[in-house]
Amino acid sequence: MRHIHVIGIGTGNPEHLTIQGIQALKATDAVFALDKGEAKAGLLGLRRQICDRYIAGRPYRFVEAADPERDRRPTDYGVAVDDWHAARAALYEDLIAEHLREDERGAFLVWGDPSLYDSTLRILERVLARGRVGFTYDVIPGITSVQALAAAHRIPLHRIGEPVRITTGRRLRESLGDGLGQEPGATVVMLDGDPRFEGLDPDLTIHWGAYLGTPDELLVAGRLGDVAEDIRRVRAEARTRHGWIMDIYLLLKPAS
């Protein structure tokens, strides 16, 4: 039966791959990748670079397909994401059926780690549930942007004995009215497409990073009230320069 590796590739540095991930790649016949357009061509290029580096000495196929369009300003976020996942599932099904023989191994290379804010595992389960294509799969963990952020700033994610909360920019804004910051611990914010920091305590400490693990890495840290505008300026300039941006930040309450 076909087998698929879902491999976490870290945040942009080819050396983020684990030995387990490299060994899986070396046994791969077809690597599947979604083309997200010219603006994000660098993301596709990095996947090619990883394959060329680690799948040495044996032929393999690099299978590209255009990523289905997604409604970025939906009236119902849950419905929009479900529709997008359904479109991706149909696409993955076709790719696996057409480009992976019954006795071969395929791979999806996932930015960061497949377990954290990524849809690949859910979509593969949808493909299996449709019943047209059979396969087994395994998951190989990777370095997350959360780990890369802490390492780049040379900090622990939390103070002694305190929890860490990981959320999205959307959820962060929705929770402001519920007393965000009243509970102890740190908050890591991912997928914030437009960080405005409105309603947040200006005395929070922020550690922000973009393009983590790459030569284009950007870092800003300090009191939120002092550096918020710097982050927004640096972020806007970088997005214009590269055509895309992946960033993340950690918020810490002032030490008591």
Side-chain angles (χ1 to χ4, degrees), residues 178-189:
D178 298 329
L180 177 72
Q182 299 304 311
E183 298 180 359
T187 300
V188 177
V189 184

Side-chain angles (χ1 to χ4, degrees), residues 119-222:
S119 61
T120 305
L121 300 181
R122 294 185 180 93
I123 292 170
L124 288 178
E125 284 295 329
R126 279 189 177 224
V127 175
L128 287 173
R130 290 162 68 101
R132 176 187 166 204
V133 181
F135 56 86
T136 58
Y137 72 91
D138 61 4
V139 180
I140 299 172
I143 293 173
T144 69
S145 58
V146 180
Q147 295 165 285
L149 178 73
H153 282 284
R154 298 177 297 172
I155 57 170
L157 286 171
H158 56 83
R159 297 193 176 99
I160 296 173
E162 292 189 351
V164 177
R165 177 179 184 240
I166 302 176
T167 189
T168 66
R170 180 188 300 273
R171 290 293 187 183
L172 178 73
R173 284 184 284 275
E174 289 175 353
S175 64
L176 286 177
D178 298 329
L180 177 72
Q182 299 304 311
E183 298 180 359
T187 300
V188 177
V189 184
M190 304 177 66
L191 304 177
D192 193 347
D194 185 21
R196 297 183 178 276
F197 310 117
E198 295 170 347
L200 295 175
D201 182 353
D203 287 329
L204 289 168
T205 297
I206 185 170
H207 291 87
W208 174 87
Y211 311 106
L212 294 166
T214 77
D216 299 312
E217 182 175 272
L218 297 170
L219 301 171
V220 177

Side-chain angles (χ1 to χ4, degrees), residues 43-158:
L43 303 180
L44 194 63
L46 178 66
R47 286 173 167 82
R48 282 189 172 275
Q49 179 185 343
I50 287 172
C51 291
D52 290 343
R53 177 170 179 171
Y54 294 120
I55 313 178
R58 73 186 299 268
Y60 74 95
R61 302 181 296 280
F62 193 88
V63 182
E64 298 177 34
D67 195 14
E69 291 293 328
R70 175 184 173 186
D71 186 354
R72 295 291 176 176
R73 297 184 179 277
T75 54
D76 189 317
Y77 178 76
V79 170
V81 170
D82 188 65
D83 289 344
W84 182 47
H85 284 183
R88 272 193 167 184
L91 175 61
Y92 284 16
E93 180 180 77
D94 288 341
L95 292 177
I96 295 167
E98 294 173 16
H99 298 282
L100 199 65
R101 293 193 296 269
E102 288 286 346
D103 59 344
E104 289 188 324
R105 291 174 176 260
F108 288 88
L109 307 185
V110 174
W111 206 262
D113 182 88
S115 70
L116 187 60
Y117 289 113
D118 183 81
S119 61
T120 305
L121 300 181
R122 294 185 180 93
I123 292 170
L124 288 178
E125 284 295 329
R126 279 189 177 224
V127 175
L128 287 173
R130 290 162 68 101
R132 176 187 166 204
V133 181
F135 56 86
T136 58
Y137 72 91
D138 61 4
V139 180
I140 299 172
I143 293 173
T144 69
S145 58
V146 180
Q147 295 165 285
L149 178 73
H153 282 284
R154 298 177 297 172
I155 57 170
L157 286 171
H158 56 83

